[in-house]
Amino acid sequence: MILNGSQIFVEVLVEQGVDTIFGYPGGSVLNLYDELYKNSDRVRHILTAHEQGAAHAADGYARATGRTGVVLATSGPGATNLVTGIATAFMDSVPMVAFTGNVATSMLGKDSFQEAYIEGITMPITKHNFTVRRVEDLADTMRAAFRIAQSGRKGPVLVDIPKDVTAARCEFIPKSPELIRTITRYDEDEVREAARMINEAERPIVYFGGGVRSAAGCQPLRDLLEKTGMPATYTLMAAGILAYGEPHNLGLLGMHGCYAANKAIAEADLVIAAGTRFSDRVALNPETFASKAKIIQIDIDPSELGKNVAVDLALTGDASYILQAILPYVEKTEHKLWMEQIREWQRKDYHPQDSDTVLKPHQIINEICEQAGPDAVYVTDVGQHQMWAAQYLHHTKSRGFITSGGLGTMGFGYGAAIGAQIALGRDHRVVMLTGDGSFHMNLNEGCTAVSYELPIITVIFNNQVLGMVRQWQTSFYGKRYSSTDPGRRTDFVKVAEGFGAKGYRATNMEEFRAAFADAMKQKGPTWIDCRIDKDERVLPMIPGGGDINDIIME
């Protein structure tokens, strides 16, 4: 077949199984959008309010499904508006392909209107990126982008397409999607050594991260815990892999993690780190982290092995396959004494106080879980509400918690919630938790949720300050609240109504309970403005560079 570049673009999307693309049109991509219009029955396009929202939506789509998210933007500012979303996906290893238009190849490098060197700009925040200079290369370049995004350690790939390439013609040969081969190779001797270390340990613990969610499956981790009786703790990116209330589940680890989880790491004699990179929000002091333990690290990316913390045994490969390989060699045990000690530490965990008169974050979240149920997907922005969500949500599913971990992107939530809702369908419950600071950054996507009648419930933890930064200023900067009390008077109920959504305001639990129950009945988006005290803090807290001995509990 002889096709032009825009036709090839659509054919390869369909070939790769893409059913939805998020984006915003502009001059350099008009040919692509014209072809998408003609093929709207094959590829659905979701128009967002801003390209950053489109990037976050593609990210949310990918996190909710495990499939590759796709975003399209025009040249210049359209392309640069994707950068934060691409970086967010890169830091959290999310498979995404970003397509950008550019000026014609003859105009590249001449400071043409709406020209930006997006390949160079995104080089540090993509797994790979391409500029397609010949239409003959377009199809195979797109295929390579999808393959790279999903293979090995997943991540974003960018393909920049000059406008003349979208109009030029060449022969197109359809191909079946390439089978993505998960890395399954591992050293059998290393697997046996890992099992030996586990069998000899008296105080072992599994510390796992988002790499387990991205792996071929989560069940081998659960099987290992069941067979060995070991406890486990997780990073922000792994919330939900172990269900809320599971006996092996010690909860979140790190700066705002549980006392018992952090204490167990400090006292363990063996740490099995699976699909995690010892970030500075977990291994706050690399010199003292798990100082009494030998460490086994399992990661699909060899560059992460021993990068932040020295380890005793490093295994490269998909965490699911390696844990599955270890299983036959480990002995069935219970570690009763170790678990008894941990239960004692759990009694010392921080437990927030309920209130009948004012809204408390943990009570709001408990009520959300009661009403939304175990099948809901929870999306957050970044800040105090994000940590409260990680601490108190009743996580029950591996893809049920969507948040920006590595980059910590304020404004991530609403776009990601839109992507998740589009991916899962209107009948699936998506709840977005945000703070007034984060929500101000991208609440413009309210119009997108209204346009597509998406029943996203947004719960705004509104303390009218920049809560997390203010908390640090309270603890470490002598209460000098520099630029964290913006004095905004935004009426979120009126803003919601202005977009065409339904708004509620709650100042106590009775009001919130009623508002959320009504929101659950709506067919379109809803916002609930929850007024909480500006001095509510996220506890426990271990200061940066500290360890369990520095934990703040009150």
Side-chain angles (χ1 to χ4, degrees):
M1 293 183 288
I2 302 298
L3 302 179
N4 64 37
S6 300
Q7 293 170 320
I8 291 170
F9 176 80
V10 170
E11 291 302 322
V12 176
L13 290 181
V14 173
E15 173 189 289
Q16 296 295 317
V18 176
D19 57 14
T20 305
I21 183 170
F22 303 88
Y24 203 97
S28 292
V29 289
L30 281 177
N31 293 333
L32 299 179
Y33 270 87
D34 191 50
E35 202 59 37
L36 286 169
Y37 179 88
K38 298 172 186 175
N39 289 273
S40 58
D41 58 330
R42 303 169 76 199
V43 180
R44 184 184 187 192
H45 180 272
I46 303 297
L47 174 67
T48 57
H50 189 281
E51 289 92 352
Q52 184 178 337
H56 293 325
D59 184 315
Y61 179 100
R63 295 190 202 223
T65 62
R67 299 172 63 190
T68 303
V70 184
V71 63
L72 171 63
T74 193
S75 61
T80 58
N81 281 344
L82 296 180
V83 168
T84 299
I86 293 170
T88 300
F90 182 73
M91 287 288 279
D92 289 344
S93 302
V94 177
M96 184 166 80
V97 175
F99 293 103
T100 54
N102 215 328
V103 299
T105 51
S106 61
M107 302 300 292
L108 290 172
K110 297 182 179 180
D111 295 332
S112 304
F113 177 68
Q114 288 194 335
E115 180 191 0
Y117 179 35
I118 197 65
E119 182 182 351
I121 291 168
T122 59
M123 192 172 292
I125 55 167
T126 52
K127 282 190 72 178
H128 199 77
N129 59 17
F130 304 88
T131 297
V132 182
R133 295 175 183 270
R134 301 187 325 133
V135 70
E136 291 84 358
D137 299 328
L138 178 59
D140 283 343
T141 300
M142 290 177 65
R143 291 164 180 147
F146 281 95
R147 182 186 70 249
I148 293 167
Q150 279 284 0
S151 59
R153 181 177 181 173
K154 298 173 175 61
V157 180
L158 181 132
V159 180
D160 192 39
I161 310 173
K163 188 171 184 178
D164 56 323
V165 173
T166 68
R169 296 167 66 83
C170 71
E171 185 178 6
F172 172 72
I173 301 173
K175 293 183 180 179
S176 299
E178 185 174 341
L179 179 65
I180 304 298
R181 292 177 174 83
T182 302
I183 297 175
T184 57
R185 296 186 302 275
Y186 50 81
D187 188 302
E188 185 70 21
D189 291 336
E190 291 177 348
V191 165
R192 290 175 180 268
E193 175 64 10
R196 183 194 65 78
M197 293 170 71
I198 292 170
N199 290 334
E200 292 180 359
E202 295 181 358
R203 303 183 307 280
I205 185 170
V206 175
Y207 144 53
F208 63 94
V212 172
R213 175 182 286 126
S214 299
C218 302
Q219 193 58 42
L221 170 66
R222 301 185 188 110
D223 292 342
L224 179 67
L225 299 177
E226 183 66 30
K227 187 173 184 180
T228 62
M230 281 190 291
T233 181
Y234 55 83
T235 70
L236 183 68
M237 296 306 302
I241 290 173
L242 291 185
Y244 175 80
E246 276 194 29
H248 303 290
N249 186 355
L250 302 190
L252 186 69
L253 182 68
M255 179 174 284
H256 293 295
C258 303
Y259 171 81
N262 282 292
K263 183 68 172 174
I265 285 285
E267 297 298 330
D269 63 359
L270 178 68
V271 173
I272 302 99
T276 187
R277 57 189 175 85
F278 298 91
S279 83
D280 59 329
R281 282 299 185 265
V282 171
L284 294 106
N285 185 337
E287 300 301 319
T288 61
F289 183 81
S291 59
K292 299 178 182 179
K294 291 183 178 179
I295 299 176
I296 300 170
Q297 187 178 7
I298 302 167
D299 205 285
I300 201 166
D301 183 354
S303 71
E304 290 292 354
L305 298 172
K307 183 179 80 173
N308 294 327
V309 170
V311 300
D312 298 277
L313 178 63
L315 294 89
T316 304
D318 184 288
S320 178
Y321 288 109
I322 291 181
L323 292 175
Q324 187 68 48
I326 291 172
L327 264 171
Y329 301 114
V330 296
E331 299 165 358
K332 186 169 179 58
T333 52
E334 292 184 356
H335 292 291
K336 284 186 176 180
L337 292 177
W338 178 224
M339 291 307 299
E340 286 174 7
Q341 174 64 79
I342 286 172
R343 299 303 178 217
E344 185 178 323
W345 291 329
Q346 285 182 318
R347 287 190 283 273
K348 298 179 182 178
D349 274 336
Y350 174 76
H351 298 288
Q353 297 297 310
D354 291 354
S355 173
D356 294 327
T357 56
V358 297
L359 284 173
K360 292 288 187 177
H362 71 282
Q363 288 179 280
I364 293 172
I365 293 170
N366 285 338
E367 184 63 31
I368 291 170
C369 293
E370 287 296 319
Q371 293 200 36
D375 291 326
V377 168
Y378 299 100
V379 184
T380 83
D381 264 313
V382 170
Q384 286 180 310
H385 68 276
Q386 178 190 32
M387 295 297 104
W388 288 321
Q391 291 173 332
Y392 302 124
L393 280 172
H394 301 174
H395 303 290
T396 58
K397 53 195 298 185
S398 64
R399 292 193 178 276
F401 184 62
I402 296 173
T403 194
S404 169
L407 198 63
T409 305
M410 293 176 71
F412 166 81
Y414 213 6
I418 288 168
Q421 190 77 77
I422 290 289
L424 300 172
R426 289 188 180 88
D427 293 336
H428 205 110
R429 176 59 61 197
V430 174
V431 181
M432 206 275 276
L433 291 79
T434 186
D436 54 302
S438 277
F439 199 44
H440 271 110
M441 290 196 170
N442 272 337
L443 59 77
N444 55 332
E445 294 303 338
C447 65
T448 308
V450 169
S451 295
Y452 292 95
E453 204 174 31
L454 303 176
I456 300 165
I457 300 176
T458 299
V459 180
I460 307 164
F461 291 73
N462 185 2
N463 55 12
Q464 299 186 301
V465 293
L466 306 184
M468 186 60 88
V469 183
R470 190 178 188 277
Q471 177 172 331
W472 279 64
Q473 290 171 334
T474 300
S475 298
F476 309 118
Y477 291 87
K479 298 185 178 181
R480 294 183 295 277
Y481 299 122
S482 176
S483 298
T484 50
D485 186 352
R488 292 170 181 155
R489 299 182 181 180
T490 305
D491 187 328
F492 288 112
V493 174
K494 289 183 178 178
V495 175
E497 292 170 351
F499 276 123
K502 186 166 185 178
Y504 311 81
R505 185 171 291 108
T507 60
N508 56 52
M509 278 307 299
E510 184 178 353
E511 292 176 353
F512 178 75
R513 192 173 294 114
F516 197 88
D518 193 66
M520 289 278 288
K521 301 173 186 175
Q522 303 303 314
K523 294 183 178 180
T526 51
W527 299 3
I528 307 175
D529 180 359
C530 299
R531 296 302 176 95
I532 64 171
D533 190 276
K534 64 183 178 182
D535 290 316
E536 282 286 349
R537 292 187 296 161
V538 181
L539 294 175
M541 178 180 181
I542 301 176
D547 56 30
I548 188 64
N549 299 307
D550 304 302
I551 194 166
I552 300 169
M553 298 283 281
E554 59 184 26

